[in-house]
Amino acid sequence: MVTPAVSNPAPSLLDRLVLPTSGAWANDARKGALARFREMGFPGRRDEYWRFAGGDDFAAPEPEEAPILDMQGEAPVFTGLERLKFSFRDGRFEGTMPDLPEGLEVSRLADAGQADLHWARDLYGVLEAAGQSPVARPFAALNTAFAPDGLLIRITGKVALPLNLIYCHDDPRSDAMLHHVLRLEPGAELTLLENGPAAARLNTVLEVDVAEGACFHHVRTQGRDHGRRAVTHVFARLGQESVFKSFTLTVNGTHTRNETVIEFAGEGGVAHVAGAAMGDGRMGSFIHDDTVFITHGAPGCESRQVYKKVLLNGAVGIFQGKILVREGAQKTDGYQKSQALLLDEDSTFLAKPELEIYADDVACSHGSTSGGIDEEALFYLRSRGVPAAEAQDLLVLAFLSDAMDEIEDAAITEDITSRLEAWLARRRG
Amino acid sequence: MLEIKGLKVKLEAEDKEILKGVDLEVPAGAVHAIMGPNGSGKSTLSYVLAGREGYEVTAGSATLDGQDLLDMAPEERAAAGLFLAFQYPVEIPGVGNMTFLRTAVNSQRKLRGEEELSAAEFLKLVRTEARKLRIDADMLKRPVNVGFSGGEKKRNEILQMAMLQPKMCILDETDSGLDVDAMKLVAEGVNGLRDAGRSFLVITHYQRLLDHIKPDVVHIMAAGRIVRTGGPELALEVEHNGYGDILSEVA
């Protein structure tokens, strides 16, 4: 099949990308992904799940420049936590691996991909490929084909310390692709933290296989690097009685699209996904897109989506969330909430909540709202002596707290909340 | 303390005059009550004094210790010592009651150029005051007024008053929605705050609250004006005869 992107004589990102040299297993996976991508092509505005913002930011042959973020002496998030640190600069692992506790195996894709055989063969690009149906995710296939680096992580026990992937970039035009694979063996437990500005343009895939009885927590912050363009993908497969929780905080960014694709493959699984995004279009465009697809393929599973966006000065928030309940997935409990707080009349929230249900004994609900600040609450706070700007920020934090509360670890919630408070206070000046 | 002269106010949205020339003076240390039938403008008066949007002052003035209230933002009025106990306290999901109290106390201190209270000082103060009003730790932890009963909401208003130590307290129908026990508790809280430097303006429909919070002066408000002023016996008169007699007298 010839895609418009290929038939178009204009330069394409595809011409610029080079398949990394790989050993047998990775080579097969990459070639398969490239074939998948060629079938799909780059998305256009006519594609149902790209009609709000388009994919040009991620498909352009060269990324737009993104200034390096000046942290102004502020310590990065998670600094106060004891954790295992893995650093990436401009999309490449750097430094040395920390000493790993028992129950944890970590290798670099850049190294392990050279081998003839690796355990990740059963997952790398496999969960991504499964997640391409019924909705195509072309940038994820592109990532599987071309991502030069990432971590392959196998967890066989309960790992007490969180793993922290810390990103930074030095090159204002860096164009990074990272592909991480996690395999939680039965009964294993892990917390994964991600933070830092990874690149001017970023495309990530995180494939997570949570085996029966295993438990995975994920907390991610997408920071204040305003020029960022990022398309991220999480593909998760959940075994029987497993738990998957993922929270993302997003502040600024020119265009961020976070895709989450979850499939319940065993009974009694639990998946909670949440996002809090705050966008101020004052410094340029802000588009934030949460696209979620949860497939209940087994009975008795619980899914919960909580997405909150605070938008001002022409910021655009997008939510595309779907719950698909397959035939036989009885006793499904699906919940979806997407809300936007519009702080002015210039901002836009576009929401597309979807339920598709083929079982007859399920409880599924969704709610999507957008509205302004509660004037009654604002006056109440001001009448108690809280200045208007501070009162508004307090209400903004209150609005986001529903999503923050989805974070399992109270210390992390507090850390992230205090970051947001500081960010809001700095904006007030 | 509080001086209102010829205050005329209309609703911005409807171009409708609600207050048609209110004159009222509450001296330091005094407790004044305003009674009146529904729609007489009592609540409007309290909102205008607190600085709520949606009202336009077309004439007159309101000052607190000589400072022009009407020219100040709501938070500045609060910092200057004005406090309105709401008839319908607002629920704020996501903001913990404790955070709310601490933010309010410290915001006012900051606006007045005073030092903020330390966490320990604040905690000690809030525990002492909460205990008097039988507000337990759970109510302090919960989001502001969310899931509070009518009585709990009103007690929470008095707790804020006790924490903020205003000099001019306006109570807007604080008795509405309260049973006798809750009303006693609220009244005890208010009476505990009475002193020579603090004044109260108690707005109510009924005389019963005034059994517990004894006023020095009672005003009757009707159709946007104070139509009669007298001693506590005026409240009893209303209780026995209703507003009809008074209103026909002044009509």
Side-chain angles (χ1 to χ4, degrees):
Chain A
M1 190 196 209
V2 180
T3 66
V6 174
S7 64
N8 193 329
S12 162
L13 170 60
L14 210 52
D15 302 333
R16 236 195 67 226
L17 295 170
V18 182
L19 278 182
T21 16
S22 304
W25 75 270
N27 203 35
D28 290 349
R30 292 186 188 284
K31 287 197 166 147
L34 184 56
R36 269 198 301 284
F37 176 76
R38 288 192 189 281
E39 283 280 313
M40 297 180 262
F42 287 110
R45 285 270 185 163
R46 287 190 188 164
D47 288 287
E48 178 63 22
Y49 288 90
W50 289 92
R51 63 191 173 96
F52 291 135
D56 293 352
D57 281 332
F58 313 124
E62 299 284 345
E64 296 285 329
E65 186 170 318
I68 305 299
L69 173 68
D70 177 8
M71 293 288 284
Q72 293 159 343
E74 187 198 357
V77 70
F78 308 136
T79 302
L81 297 171
E82 201 186 337
R83 67 227 142 109
L84 299 163
K85 292 189 269 187
F86 300 84
S87 300
F88 293 83
R89 187 177 301 274
D90 292 311
R92 293 289 188 149
F93 180 83
E94 75 162 17
T96 49
M97 288 271 176
D99 290 332
L100 299 180
E102 211 170 307
L104 189 61
E105 288 170 37
V106 182
S107 46
R108 277 180 71 177
L109 173 60
D111 299 333
Q114 308 296 322
D116 285 335
L117 210 59
H118 194 269
W119 62 263
R121 187 185 68 171
D122 298 336
L123 292 173
Y124 185 89
V126 174
L127 300 188
E128 172 258 298
Q132 296 289 357
S133 165
V135 179
R137 306 174 197 283
F139 293 107
L142 197 70
N143 178 297
T144 299
F146 294 104
D149 214 348
L151 295 181
L152 309 174
I153 303 169
R154 193 151 79 123
I155 306 101
T156 54
K158 294 186 189 336
V159 177
L161 290 182
L163 258 68
N164 189 186
L165 311 186
I166 302 165
Y167 306 115
C168 70
H169 73 115
D170 286 343
D171 176 359
R173 289 194 175 275
S174 59
D175 193 13
M177 281 195 200
L178 282 162
H179 195 122
H180 307 299
V181 174
L182 274 87
R183 159 81 182 161
L184 285 96
E185 300 290 350
E189 283 179 18
L190 183 81
T191 298
L192 179 72
L193 310 172
E194 292 183 88
N195 66 294
R201 183 167 69 182
L202 177 69
N203 174 343
T204 67
V205 168
L206 175 66
E207 290 175 291
V208 189
D209 187 33
V210 192
E212 58 186 70
C215 184
F216 176 67
H217 292 153
H218 179 217
V219 179
R220 169 169 68 166
T221 64
Q222 297 173 318
R224 320 197 307 265
D225 44 329
H226 193 81
R228 170 190 75 239
R229 287 165 174 82
V231 56
T232 76
H233 312 82
V234 176
F235 295 95
R237 179 170 65 193
L238 272 67
Q240 199 176 322
E241 309 271 324
S242 67
V243 175
F244 174 97
K245 292 191 179 177
S246 178
F247 168 86
T248 302
L249 171 73
T250 306
V251 177
N252 287 348
T254 300
H255 188 174
T256 308
R257 176 172 169 119
N258 294 330
E259 294 202 17
T260 306
V261 182
I262 294 170
E263 191 189 357
F264 289 105
E267 286 186 35
V270 174
H272 292 186
V273 288
M278 170 98 211
D280 183 347
R282 190 173 45 176
M283 296 162 74
S285 112
F286 172 91
I287 302 171
H288 180 85
D289 177 346
D290 288 302
T291 294
V292 182
F293 199 112
I294 297 182
T295 304
H296 283 262
C301 296
E302 175 199 314
S303 70
R304 190 176 158 84
Q305 305 170 43
V306 181
Y307 286 89
K308 297 264 189 164
K309 295 171 176 60
V310 178
L311 307 168
L312 74 160
N313 290 317
V316 177
I318 298 168
F319 174 79
Q320 311 183 91
K322 178 155 180 170
I323 303 173
L324 169 64
V325 182
R326 290 201 192 283
E327 210 181 323
Q330 304 294 10
K331 305 288 180 195
T332 285
D333 181 0
Y335 174 83
Q336 181 192 85
K337 181 154 83 173
S338 65
Q339 296 181 313
L341 177 61
L342 306 171
L343 294 180
D344 57 29
E345 289 179 2
D346 301 332
S347 302
T348 310
F349 178 50
L350 301 158
K352 196 156 93 74
E354 292 177 278
L355 296 177
E356 193 176 332
I357 301 171
Y358 298 99
D360 56 10
D361 184 14
V362 302
C364 282
S365 63
H366 69 85
S368 186
T369 64
S370 60
I373 209 94
D374 180 348
E375 293 294 336
E376 287 288 315
L378 193 66
F379 174 61
Y380 192 59
L381 287 166
R382 293 182 72 188
S383 78
R384 298 302 181 245
V386 185
E390 276 178 67
Q392 175 164 315
D393 286 352
L394 206 56
L395 294 175
V396 163
L397 284 171
F399 171 78
L400 293 175
S401 69
D402 272 356
M404 315 282 237
D405 287 345
E406 295 294 318
I407 302 172
E408 195 76 2
D409 185 334
I412 296 177
T413 313
E414 208 172 293
D415 190 3
I416 286 183
T417 305
S418 68
R419 300 302 163 138
L420 257 184
E421 276 169 2
W423 187 79
L424 289 167
R426 276 197 304 275
R427 277 183 65 256
R428 283 201 303 269
Chain B
M1 173 79 67
L2 178 68
E3 209 172 329
I4 304 169
K5 282 186 187 158
L7 189 65
K8 290 188 180 180
V9 171
K10 64 178 187 181
L11 277 180
E12 271 175 4
E14 297 172 36
D15 196 27
K16 182 179 164 192
E17 193 166 62
I18 307 286
L19 300 184
K20 299 170 181 168
V22 173
D23 292 288
L24 180 69
E25 199 184 329
V26 185
V31 176
H32 283 212
I34 297 184
M35 300 180 74
N38 282 325
S40 56
K42 307 187 299 292
S43 286
T44 297
L45 178 63
S46 70
Y47 282 140
V48 168
L49 292 174
R52 185 174 157 137
E53 282 178 22
Y55 302 100
E56 191 193 333
V57 176
T58 54
S61 66
T63 57
L64 183 66
D65 279 344
Q67 284 179 280
D68 180 5
L69 275 178
L70 302 177
D71 204 30
M72 293 189 230
E75 55 269 29
E76 292 168 337
R77 301 180 196 203
L82 185 80
F83 181 91
L84 169 64
F86 282 51
Q87 183 181 359
Y88 303 107
V90 181
E91 297 186 5
I92 314 182
V95 177
N97 210 9
M98 204 75 140
T99 306
F100 167 64
L101 285 168
R102 199 177 56 233
T103 308
V105 168
N106 282 333
S107 293
Q108 290 204 9
R109 296 181 76 96
K110 227 156 88 183
L111 283 171
R112 289 194 294 257
E114 298 164 11
E115 209 140 316
E116 293 186 22
L117 285 188
S118 73
E121 287 169 321
F122 169 79
L123 215 59
K124 197 176 156 198
L125 192 61
V126 79
R127 282 195 182 133
T128 312
E129 296 301 336
R131 194 173 306 125
K132 289 187 203 161
L133 290 156
R134 292 188 212 152
I135 289 174
D136 59 18
D138 181 57
M139 259 177 78
L140 290 172
K141 261 189 242 154
R142 271 150 54 187
V144 179
N145 293 326
V146 176
F148 286 25
S149 70
E152 285 174 334
K153 282 181 181 171
K154 297 297 169 78
R155 265 147 61 201
N156 204 32
E157 294 291 287
I158 306 305
L159 174 64
Q160 292 162 42
M161 192 192 284
M163 293 294 296
L164 294 168
Q165 297 279 316
K167 50 189 181 192
M168 180 70 231
C169 308
I170 304 170
L171 280 69
D172 187 7
E173 301 204 13
T174 295
D175 50 337
S176 67
L178 293 187
D179 60 31
V180 178
D181 291 339
M183 187 153 57
K184 274 188 186 159
L185 204 57
V186 162
E188 273 170 30
V190 172
N191 289 331
L193 287 166
R194 290 180 75 157
D195 75 35
R198 183 171 292 126
S199 312
F200 291 84
L201 187 60
V202 182
I203 295 171
T204 181
H205 269 300
Y206 306 105
Q207 192 268 337
R208 58 175 196 166
L209 179 66
L210 304 179
D211 284 342
H212 302 284
I213 304 172
K214 299 233 183 299
D216 303 309
V217 176
V218 175
H219 307 275
I220 306 295
M221 194 165 177
R225 280 194 191 90
I226 305 284
V227 294
R228 238 180 102 177
T229 296
E233 71 286 349
L234 193 51
L236 291 168
E237 191 187 324
V238 168
E239 182 73 6
H240 292 301
N241 307 332
Y243 291 111
D245 286 2
I246 297 170
L247 296 187
S248 56
E249 237 173 72
V250 298

